[in-house]
Amino acid sequence: MSDYKGFIKEKEAIDALLDDGYRIIAVRETLEGDFIEFERHIERKELHLLTADARKYIGTLIVEAKRESKNSCGGTYEEAGAAGS
């Protein structure tokens, strides 16, 4: 399988879990690839990513989620304190 086809397969698996309501709760990086742990209520699933592009995709999703949660909460505590100084 080409790297691109492998990436598409892994990306579709990630997107399917996220669309089903799962959220990323842990990332474990190893020499054999990344193991991504997802959770929905009390259900947990783990996905093994082998391609570099899929690992970058997960990183992008995590950064975007952090950015969105920061914006929806009005910034972090430190930012709020600095603004009032």
Side-chain angles (χ1 to χ4, degrees), residues 16-47:
L17 287 170
L18 294 175
D19 289 344
D20 283 343
Y22 285 88
R23 63 186 181 95
I24 299 167
I25 60 167
V27 176
R28 190 181 64 210
E29 299 174 337
T30 69
L31 295 176
E32 289 84 31
D34 288 0
F35 293 88
I36 314 302
E37 195 170 338
F38 294 85
E39 181 180 62
R40 178 179 66 184
H41 307 293
I42 59 170
E43 274 183 90
R44 288 191 177 191
K45 292 190 177 185
E46 186 175 75
L47 188 61

Side-chain angles (χ1 to χ4, degrees), residues 42-70:
I42 59 170
E43 274 183 90
R44 288 191 177 191
K45 292 190 177 185
E46 186 175 75
L47 188 61
H48 184 195
L49 302 180
L50 299 173
T51 64
D53 287 331
R55 294 186 301 233
K56 287 187 258 183
Y57 181 63
I58 279 288
T60 301
L61 292 175
I62 292 170
V63 168
E64 286 177 3
K66 293 277 189 191
R67 189 173 293 147
E68 286 174 10
S69 69
K70 181 178 172 182

